[in-house]
Structure formats: C-alpha cells, structure tokens
Amino acid sequence: MNNPEYAIQADNLHKTYKSAGKMALDDVSLKVPTGSIFALLGPNGAGKSTFINILAGLVIKDSGYVRIWNSNIDEEARQSRASIGIVPQELNLDAFFTPREVLETQAGFYGVAKKDRITEELLEAVGLTDKADAKARTLSGGMKRRVMVAKAMVHRPPVLVLDEPTAGVDIELRKSLWNYVRKLNDIGTTIILTTHYLEEAEELCDKIAIINHGKLIKCDDKNKILKDLDSKQISFTFAEEIKDIPASITKYNPVKTGSNILKFTYAPSKTEINDFLLALNSNNMNIIDISTKEGDLEEAFLKFTK
C-alpha cells in the first residue's frame, strides 16, 4: 500500500467548550505532508492542544473532518489511533514502573506481539539502556521525557506528535532528542511539533502552521514564510564613536547598539544595502565591519499573532 500524500488532513474543524463558553477551534483546515517535520505554533490557549487531543481521541470535535494516515477518525477510530503516537506535555509515568516495563506495557495495550516488540531498540535510541530497570521515580525529568518519546513509538506509528517535548529539558538532552527525531524522520516518520522554542522549529521544520484564538492564520513552507516576512537587519561598526547621527541617515530609523555601532531593520524589497553605504559614505563615516541578520521565525510569529 502506498503512503498517503498527507499524514494528517483536517477540514473545517470546529470545537467549542460550552461549559467555558470558549471556541477552541474555528474552521481550522490544514494538511500535514507525509514525511515532513511540521510545526504547529501559537500562543498559550491558541487551540494547539485541542487539535492534538482531537487527533488522539481525547476530545470530541463539534464538526469537521479529520483523517490520520488515510483513516477517518470517526469511522476508523481504531486504525487512525494506531497510526499515531503522541508525546504529551505532561509526564504521566507510573512512579514504580521501570522504563522497560513502561514500554512493554504500552506495547501490550496496542496489541503488539512479544516477538514484534522493539523495547530494547527504543531504550537504546533514547539513551536509556543503562536505566532500563530503574524505577521511574528515580529518573531525572529529562530521562522521564525520553521514556515518554519511546512510549509513543512502541507500535511503530508513521506519525509522531511531540507536544512541547523539550520543556524543562537541558541543552545536551535537547540536542540528543532532536538527533533522534531527525533519524525517525529520515526513515519516513512524519513529525508534528509544538514548541515555544521558535529557534527549534525554524531549524527542524519544513512547514509551519500558526494558530491563534482558534483560527489558522498561516500555513506554508518555512522558507516562504520567512521570505514573505520581508525583514532583514544590518549592523555597521565604525572606526570612531558616533556622537550625532546625520539627518540623511535618521530617515532609515537606525538604532545605536554600541558607542560605534548602528543597526538598521529594513525591508529588502524596498531598500538595498547600497542605500545605506551611500548614505554613510556621504557623511564620511568610516566603516570597519558589517554584519547582517535575516528575519527569523520569531519575527514572523510576532507579526502574525500580534
């Protein structure tokens, strides 16, 4: 059987929590390409967790249509849930279970025969072989997070959802976790990531969706989103201290970031670097260094969610 074009497909998804009088999802439609690393971003309370919980079968949508790996979540609930693994934000491990016992038990819940289980492979992949028989209550927060990732993979799902997987995790573990995620993606696993660490999303993801107040406000290739941002920064370092900024330069709204440094934020579609060079040279400002910085995902996120 060929893989579907889209690992996740949602159309006109609505969800209102009537007891709270809050619309969590308002006509959300998005498609997650198979084999991609897809970021679902948004402020707290934007609707991300509701979307994920609908995929997991923990929240019942009011209306709309969702398919996971070509299985309708309403008509083929068992198959759709077997196609997805979800790593939640919360660390929900039994304190007296070992990592090996957690994975074996979870595999049993999914009906994975003992001969087909990959417990040892997963323990090694997440760096917990030496802690395989330690009680969960003795593990650090980072180690528990790794158990959660392995737990979501016991049934070899083609789609893996990571909901804030690096919250409270140290830098070293974060790097090792992302290396493992890349390996999973290399062998064909579709990854859906929610994170507040936007630099992670920018580095890892192919496609970005931004949701706010329950509405999908942007969904596109990462590079296109950054290009459409049309924002860049350039900093000039001068040989002498800047005492007064000439009038011909103030029109570019420079920011003084050091005694001899000016930073400009501009739209490349409207202004060229040569415009700055001409203005600075005409005022006999001796440039000794130039550095540039492209617009990043954080800028785009703030632009679309403000």
Side-chain angles (χ1 to χ4, degrees):
M1 181 179 175
N2 293 329
N3 291 342
E5 182 179 2
Y6 298 107
I8 304 284
Q9 184 172 349
D11 293 305
N12 309 116
L13 207 55
H14 288 265
K15 176 60 184 178
T16 297
Y17 294 106
K18 293 182 175 60
S19 59
K22 175 180 172 58
M23 180 177 285
L25 295 175
D26 183 7
D27 198 30
V28 170
S29 297
L30 63 81
K31 296 175 180 177
V32 178
T34 294
S36 66
I37 303 183
F38 186 99
L40 181 62
L41 307 178
N44 289 332
K48 305 186 300 296
S49 293
T50 296
F51 181 80
I52 289 170
N53 286 335
I54 288 173
L55 299 182
L58 298 175
V59 169
I60 306 301
K61 59 185 172 57
D62 294 335
S63 61
Y65 172 91
V66 182
R67 292 181 73 87
I68 302 174
W69 210 251
N70 262 352
S71 297
N72 186 302
I73 66 169
D74 298 315
E75 299 169 3
E76 303 160 287
R78 185 185 181 94
Q79 183 56 44
S80 67
R81 289 170 195 171
S83 299
I84 194 168
I86 295 181
V87 183
Q89 293 184 43
E90 300 80 14
L91 295 171
N92 53 358
L93 297 175
D94 188 304
F96 297 97
F97 271 43
T98 67
R100 180 178 280 114
E101 289 170 338
V102 169
L103 301 189
E104 284 290 312
T105 302
Q106 186 76 357
F109 288 153
Y110 276 97
V112 180
K114 286 197 172 184
K115 66 182 179 63
D116 297 324
R117 293 180 187 176
I118 54 172
T119 300
E120 302 307 318
E121 176 187 327
L122 289 171
L123 288 168
E124 182 178 357
V126 297
L128 286 175
T129 300
D130 60 336
K131 296 289 185 180
D133 297 308
K135 300 297 184 186
R137 59 189 168 87
T138 69
L139 302 178
S140 68
M143 289 177 181
K144 290 176 182 176
R145 184 72 63 184
R146 281 187 260 179
V147 176
M148 296 296 294
V149 174
K151 183 181 174 184
M153 295 299 297
V154 295
H155 57 301
R156 301 179 188 263
V159 184
L160 178 64
V161 178
L162 302 170
D163 192 3
E164 298 287 349
T166 56
V169 169
D170 62 50
I171 294 174
E172 185 177 355
L173 174 57
R174 191 176 295 170
K175 287 183 178 178
S176 67
L177 180 59
W178 292 138
N179 286 337
Y180 180 55
V181 167
R182 287 190 179 97
K183 288 178 183 177
L184 287 174
N185 184 245
D186 287 342
I187 62 173
T189 305
T190 302
I191 310 292
I192 301 172
L193 168 69
T194 77
T195 180
H196 283 102
Y197 298 107
L198 297 181
E199 67 276 10
E200 290 181 344
E202 184 170 349
E203 180 180 348
L204 286 164
C205 297
D206 316 307
K207 197 160 186 173
I208 307 284
I210 300 175
I211 190 169
N212 197 20
H213 300 302
K215 287 184 174 291
L216 185 68
I217 54 178
K218 194 73 176 178
C219 185
D220 215 328
D221 292 336
K222 174 186 66 181
N223 292 334
K224 187 173 188 308
I225 288 176
L226 295 177
K227 183 179 179 181
D228 289 348
L229 183 61
D230 196 23
S231 177
K232 196 170 183 178
Q233 293 179 355
I234 186 166
S235 294
F236 295 93
T237 303
F238 305 98
E240 302 83 19
E241 180 181 353
I242 304 166
K243 294 181 179 178
D244 297 304
I245 300 176
S248 60
I249 295 172
T250 56
K251 68 179 182 178
Y252 295 111
N253 300 312
V255 175
K256 193 175 177 181
T257 59
S259 62
N260 63 333
I261 302 174
L262 288 181
K263 181 178 77 174
F264 301 85
T265 300
Y266 67 102
S269 63
K270 299 175 182 177
T271 308
E272 296 181 356
I273 293 178
N274 196 47
D275 297 333
F276 298 115
L277 293 173
L278 290 172
L280 295 170
N281 287 332
S282 67
N283 286 280
N284 298 316
M285 299 179 75
N286 186 13
I287 302 167
I288 59 173
D289 188 54
I290 301 175
S291 64
T292 60
K293 180 177 179 291
E294 300 288 342
D296 58 19
L297 189 56
E298 182 175 345
E299 282 185 67
F301 181 83
L302 292 173
K303 174 184 176 181
F304 294 126
T305 59
K306 66 182 179 180

